[in-house]
Amino acid sequence: MKAKLIFKIPKEQKAFLAATKASDMASVLWEITYNLRKKVEWFYDAMPEEEYDKLRPADGVEKVMDEIMHILNKEGVNIDDLIE
């Protein structure tokens, strides 16, 4: 099976980038789904208890978002380039 996608650049630049980055986005989603929880748990498990006790709930959210941004950057996915 063959398929051909045709884009009118620059008018459809974001759609073109979304199509060409689909595999990278799938890798990002896979890593978030299967590895992110473990990575964050290990980060907090390794933290000294007195430091852990000082954390605010928002610190956990911030850590997860930092990790998501790290994964996106590692795969070369810039969300702002893909969404209108």
Side-chain angles (χ1 to χ4, degrees), residues 45-84:
D45 285 347
M47 186 179 284
E49 191 171 327
E50 59 277 358
E51 191 176 331
Y52 181 84
D53 290 341
K54 294 177 186 175
L55 293 174
R56 302 170 297 118
D59 293 334
V61 173
E62 179 113 3
K63 177 64 178 167
V64 169
M65 292 308 300
D66 288 346
E67 290 295 327
I68 289 171
M69 292 308 298
H70 173 74
I71 295 166
L72 287 165
N73 289 332
K74 182 177 77 175
E75 294 295 334
V77 176
N78 183 337
I79 296 297
D80 294 333
D81 289 344
L82 305 176
I83 303 297
E84 291 186 38

Side-chain angles (χ1 to χ4, degrees), residues 34-45:
Y34 294 105
N35 294 330
L36 183 58
R37 177 186 296 245
K38 289 183 277 185
K39 194 172 193 176
V40 172
E41 284 175 358
W42 293 337
F43 174 80
Y44 286 115
D45 285 347

